[in-house]
Amino acid sequence: MTIATGEPIPDVSVLRAANGGIPVTTAEALGHGRVVLFGVPGAFTPTCSDAHLPGFVLRAEELKAKGVDVIACTAVNDAFVMAAWGQAQGVGEDVVMLADGAGDFARAMGMEVEIPAHGLGTRSKRYAAIVEDGVVTWLGVEASPGDHQASSAESVLAALV
């Protein structure tokens, strides 16, 4: 079942992509302060690389001006791929890249999806969430593949008060 507003973020082990992968729990990475979390089907995939991640990098200062402490991206990829994607996209310190290599976090969030096209297999749905002290206060989930508007940085900005 998909996580809903008012529910706590599941506590699952992931890897911060920096330095080849630093083990961290999602409670540690996402459970304190105001966090914008977004999940994508995969690093280096077209919509994720051309629109979704770049939107959050471009709008990072605006998000932080609205009280966001952390912007985090997760995908069902290993830490090395997430680090390389972050570097290629120029995320710097603006976006924390979290590797969910086995899809445990996507599954716990109810965001797991099978994408057999292009050999992607088990991945995460494209979504964004505002998380306040570990609890989801807003959630936008992609309605159809490639339609990232519901989970775009602009939609998150509009939802922040």
Side-chain angles (χ1 to χ4, degrees):
M1 188 156 99
T2 302
I3 196 164
T5 58
E7 294 182 347
I9 288 290
D11 193 15
V12 176
S13 293
V14 293
L15 295 173
R16 284 187 195 264
N19 302 321
I22 301 167
V24 64
T25 67
T26 51
E28 292 168 328
L30 309 170
H32 307 287
R34 190 180 235 187
V35 176
V36 167
L37 166 68
F38 64 101
V40 298
F44 293 105
T45 57
T47 301
C48 301
S49 292
D50 296 341
H52 208 196
L53 176 57
F56 285 94
V57 174
L58 181 66
R59 303 270 190 235
E61 290 304 314
E62 292 173 70
L63 290 163
K64 291 185 179 191
K66 288 201 169 195
V68 172
D69 299 303
V70 174
I71 303 166
C73 173
T74 184
V76 181
N77 289 112
D78 64 65
F80 301 105
V81 169
M82 290 296 286
W85 189 40
Q87 184 176 21
Q89 291 287 325
V91 302
E93 300 294 317
D94 290 331
V95 179
V96 175
M97 304 298 279
L98 298 175
D100 182 24
D104 294 336
F105 184 61
R107 192 173 309 104
M109 289 281 288
M111 295 294 178
E112 181 182 46
V113 64
E114 292 295 323
I115 307 175
H118 310 292
L120 293 177
T122 302
R123 295 299 175 130
S124 172
K125 292 179 184 176
R126 186 175 288 109
Y127 68 93
I130 298 171
V131 181
E132 309 254 358
D133 292 321
V135 176
V136 176
T137 59
W138 179 87
L139 181 66
V141 182
E142 171 181 82
S144 61
D147 177 18
H148 71 283
Q149 288 310 112
S151 60
S152 68
E154 291 78 11
S155 292
V156 172
L157 276 167
L160 287 168
V161 247

